[in-house]
Amino acid sequence: MFNYYRKEIEWAGRPLILETGKVARQADGAVLVTYGGTSVLCTAVGAKSVKPGQDFFPLTVNYQEKAYSAGKIPGGFFKREGRPSENEVLTSRLIDRPIRPLFPDNFRNEVQVTATVVSHDMENDPDIVALIGCSAALTLSGIPFFGPVAAARVGKIDGQFVINPTLSQLPQSKLDLVVAGTSEGVLMVESEAQELPEDQMLEAVMIGHAAYQPVIDAIIALAEVAAREPWELPEISKDEVAMRKRVDKIGAKPMADAYKEQKKQLRHDKVDAVRNQIVETLTEEGFDPEKAKPMIKDLEAQVVRGAILKTGTRIDGRDLTTVRPITAEVGTLPRTHGSSLFTRGETQALVVATLGTGQDEQIVDALEGEYRSRFMLHYNFPPYSVGEVGRMGSPGRREIGHGKLAWRALNPLLPTKESFPYTMRVVSEITESNGSSSMATVCGTSLALMDAGVPLPRPVAGIAMGLIKEDRGHAILTDILGDEDHLGDMDFKVAGTSEGVTALQMDIKITSITPEIMKEALEQARDGRMHILGEMSKALAQGREGVSGNAPKITTMAVPKEKIRDIIGQGGKTIREIVEYSGAKVDIGEDGTVTIAATNDDQAQKAINRIQGLVAEPEVGKIYDGKVVKTADFGAFVNFLGPKDGLVHISELAPGRVGRTTDVVKEGDQVKVKVLGFDDRGKVKLSMRVVDQETGDDITDSVGEKTPRAPR
């Protein structure tokens, strides 16, 4: 019934199994990939025809995690998976980026790639498994695809590089780097590092590239026995060849002149005018103008790339290594906890940092289990930032991806929760964009956090690099513009401190680049990063002393674990009373750490006093403020230490003989008492007569020996 094929290899100490022919047989390509105990079902389907007028390649990658894969039932009311989580979006992008450059330039059929996590062993991350499976599914499908690609994760534990570290090993790793590519070279890199030098980052990339070669061989071996017949690509017609020649002849000179305009908006207006003129001319000559759009884009690329390689001068007049003018300021917004405005050329980020308490931590329900995040970074890219009209709604894949890249850049530098018990949220509003707004976000976030008083050991900066590579040579561009990104061969973003790299993201639009080019780009990026850090230091070089006056003041104290119940009270009654009385927020950890957040010192002290009263034990000989809660013939009960009460015997109410308790005190009176000791049942014995009720001084010596009680 099944035409079943299977390929298994040993990879980094675990079996990697590729299976096809049994599941999802109506897809063009379907592969079930298992690594350890993690399995991902990957499929690829391509439309058999092109939609009329379509001038781009519509590729969609969907990565989805099923709760059943980890033996869980989804939360929420509906108990089923809903909108993609942030991790699912990021993994979809991770898969998309290395496979997209490997489709033919003239291929316009819609392609959908789906990766579904169906089993998760809590040790092997499904993202690498999914990327391998999607590459295998495309390779088997017959869809035009110049793969296969594969990927590997590289960690660094105890000074040694580790291939595919498990989820339990990653917390001890100084590096989390994913590298993907073909047998020829690297196409994509995504990483977070703890200030590693550039040479170690490059070494990790090359180790990862070598590590996934057996996986590529396994995919090829499976394709040799299980692949479908390859699709035929449409041939380029004589009309299209003629139209391309006309596009080049009509537009080459005016397009080159348009790209000499250095201001973005004016340049775009002039380029649009040239595009329109080409389309009008072609229409008059009887050509189909819709088919001209990709040809016009190719012409633009030729003009821009050729000028850079020939003259070393870029669109805006800069040379290859110059960073655009930078202006950085902090304290931009008066009522926020921390803010900055970072401007680099025509790219600008308004970044705001907010400090909160443990109650503000983000609760993430992942396949691996629920965890809390105390650092959130949200990136927004409104259409006005590029002078356009557009829909504004929930963040898209690009916004989530750019925000996560900036998050990775800052995360290694954040203080521990023990030394800085705040939850941190940063929002980056991109108010202008012309190249690498994600790296502007990195710079602005670093400044905003320091402005809020977050003790970063060093500021963090980021820079985007580009590449123009032709047979006649190559050029690496520092601080690329938007047009250089669209028309170039590489988008290479590097973030870090003066000590090393904290995040690296690379996307290659050609088949691969050499290690020598990558090394040159890393070195050039370091020079650019050092320059940006110098410009940032003019605004703020380190975190401010103490948190912002607008931020909550957080105090931590430790209490015995057995006292946690006393602070919380039955049904949370006691802790709610503390919050209502003091106006402060109170969090209690399982280890007995109490975090108190207040807007002023008075609120904090009220909460501290209440909590200390709840957990403290009475000390013999110590004087306390108390309140009479009940009177009796034999004395008065006084509440003096949190919920604790003690008895002031009638003989200890005042010097001399007391006839009735109510002659001295009544319920509600505020009194001062001294702890004399404990009775046989552990009850506290108090005295008022040995304490000056006005000053609270101990007057035991002046009172002398206790007056003997009169015989009855």
Side-chain angles (χ1 to χ4, degrees), residues 495-514:
T497 68
S498 57
E499 301 298 313
V501 176
T502 58
L504 187 154
Q505 184 183 90
M506 181 177 72
D507 292 302
I508 305 298
K509 302 172 187 176
I510 52 179
T511 53
S512 65
I513 62 171
T514 64

Side-chain angles (χ1 to χ4, degrees), residues 331-548:
T332 308
L333 305 175
R335 289 294 299 167
T336 59
H337 299 169
S339 60
S340 68
L341 184 66
F342 181 85
T343 309
R344 186 192 61 244
E346 294 171 306
T347 297
Q348 185 180 77
L350 176 64
V351 187
V352 182
T354 307
L355 304 181
T357 68
Q359 296 177 7
D360 298 311
E361 291 180 345
Q362 182 181 19
I363 302 174
V364 181
D365 185 16
L367 281 185
E368 298 81 11
E370 186 177 282
Y371 66 92
R372 290 175 173 265
S373 174
R374 60 187 287 262
F375 176 45
M376 296 157 277
L377 198 156
H378 298 146
Y379 165 103
N380 296 318
F381 192 90
Y384 66 74
S385 64
V386 288
E388 295 178 357
V389 176
R391 186 183 66 86
M392 297 183 67
S394 58
R397 288 188 174 191
R398 180 180 182 276
E399 290 174 300
I400 291 173
H402 280 26
K404 189 63 176 182
L405 174 58
W407 184 95
R408 290 191 182 102
L410 272 296
N411 188 55
L413 274 295
L414 294 179
T416 63
K417 188 173 184 177
E418 290 72 26
S419 62
F420 191 73
Y422 286 88
T423 297
M424 294 157 280
R425 182 190 183 228
V426 175
V427 178
S428 174
E429 306 284 1
I430 303 304
T431 52
E432 292 183 41
S433 180
N434 184 15
S436 192
S437 55
S438 63
M439 294 297 97
T441 295
V442 170
C443 301
T445 298
S446 177
L447 290 168
L449 288 173
M450 293 192 296
D451 184 48
V454 178
L456 298 180
R458 286 167 292 280
V460 184
I463 190 166
M465 312 295 293
L467 172 69
I468 305 295
K469 184 174 181 289
E470 300 282 357
D471 292 340
R472 50 181 164 160
H474 72 272
I476 294 173
L477 316 179
T478 296
D479 180 24
I480 55 174
L481 300 171
D483 289 335
E484 292 169 338
D485 183 7
H486 298 150
L487 303 175
D489 297 321
M490 177 182 73
D491 182 10
F492 192 35
K493 299 184 176 79
V494 186
T497 68
S498 57
E499 301 298 313
V501 176
T502 58
L504 187 154
Q505 184 183 90
M506 181 177 72
D507 292 302
I508 305 298
K509 302 172 187 176
I510 52 179
T511 53
S512 65
I513 62 171
T514 64
E516 291 74 24
I517 290 178
M518 208 179 307
K519 180 180 179 181
E520 184 181 348
L522 278 168
E523 292 174 350
Q524 196 166 314
R526 175 180 169 79
D527 294 339
R529 187 171 82 245
M530 294 302 112
H531 169 75
I532 295 172
L533 285 169
E535 294 299 305
M536 289 168 57
S537 68
K538 296 176 183 179
L540 192 61
Q542 60 186 17
R544 299 192 188 279
E545 290 293 330
V547 298
S548 164

Side-chain angles (χ1 to χ4, degrees), residues 15-35:
L16 176 70
I17 303 169
L18 306 177
E19 300 172 272
T20 188
K22 186 183 291 186
V23 182
R25 292 173 295 160
Q26 295 187 45
D28 290 323
V31 179
L32 179 66
V33 186
T34 302
Y35 189 47

Side-chain angles (χ1 to χ4, degrees), residues 130-396:
L131 201 159
I132 291 169
C134 291
S135 169
L138 284 166
T139 303
L140 300 184
S141 69
I143 297 171
F145 177 66
F146 300 142
V149 298
R153 174 170 270 106
V154 182
K156 190 169 190 184
I157 304 173
D158 297 329
Q160 301 296 319
F161 289 110
V162 178
I163 300 300
N164 295 340
T166 62
L167 293 175
S168 59
Q169 289 177 311
L170 275 177
Q172 288 78 49
S173 178
K174 290 190 174 183
L175 174 68
D176 181 3
L177 181 143
V178 175
V179 55
T182 63
S183 57
E184 297 177 0
V186 174
L187 288 171
M188 185 273 296
V189 177
E190 184 81 64
S191 68
E192 178 183 339
Q194 295 183 11
E195 297 183 285
L196 293 182
E198 280 76 5
D199 60 342
Q200 291 187 25
M201 296 296 291
L202 179 59
E203 184 181 0
V205 171
M206 302 320 300
I207 287 174
H209 175 253
Y212 63 65
Q213 296 307 313
V215 179
I216 290 179
D217 293 339
I219 295 173
I220 293 173
L222 184 66
E224 287 174 348
V225 296
R228 297 193 177 192
E229 288 297 318
W231 293 15
E232 291 186 9
L233 280 173
E235 295 183 1
I236 301 176
S237 65
K238 293 181 179 180
D239 285 346
E240 289 177 320
V241 173
M243 182 163 54
R244 184 174 292 275
K245 290 180 179 179
R246 287 296 295 150
V247 167
D248 291 344
K249 185 172 182 179
I250 297 167
K253 175 83 168 55
M255 190 68 76
D257 293 338
Y259 269 104
K260 290 177 182 178
E261 174 58 56
Q262 297 182 7
K263 292 185 178 180
K264 176 185 173 182
Q265 293 297 336
L266 294 178
R267 179 171 65 251
H268 283 189
D269 290 343
K270 291 182 178 181
V271 170
D272 285 342
V274 176
R275 290 173 184 155
N276 293 335
Q277 183 59 51
I278 294 174
V279 168
E280 288 177 10
T281 303
L282 291 175
T283 302
E284 291 172 358
E285 295 177 358
F287 291 104
D288 183 355
E290 290 297 323
K291 294 182 179 180
K293 291 180 181 179
M295 300 177 187
I296 296 173
K297 184 177 179 181
D298 290 344
L299 173 63
E300 292 180 49
Q302 293 171 17
V303 167
V304 173
R305 295 160 65 91
I308 291 174
L309 288 175
K310 183 178 180 180
T311 66
T313 302
R314 295 155 66 179
I315 297 172
D316 60 355
R318 285 181 294 153
D319 60 23
L320 301 181
T321 60
T322 298
V323 178
R324 287 171 289 174
I326 290 173
T327 301
E329 62 180 64
V330 294
T332 308
L333 305 175
R335 289 294 299 167
T336 59
H337 299 169
S339 60
S340 68
L341 184 66
F342 181 85
T343 309
R344 186 192 61 244
E346 294 171 306
T347 297
Q348 185 180 77
L350 176 64
V351 187
V352 182
T354 307
L355 304 181
T357 68
Q359 296 177 7
D360 298 311
E361 291 180 345
Q362 182 181 19
I363 302 174
V364 181
D365 185 16
L367 281 185
E368 298 81 11
E370 186 177 282
Y371 66 92
R372 290 175 173 265
S373 174
R374 60 187 287 262
F375 176 45
M376 296 157 277
L377 198 156
H378 298 146
Y379 165 103
N380 296 318
F381 192 90
Y384 66 74
S385 64
V386 288
E388 295 178 357
V389 176
R391 186 183 66 86
M392 297 183 67
S394 58

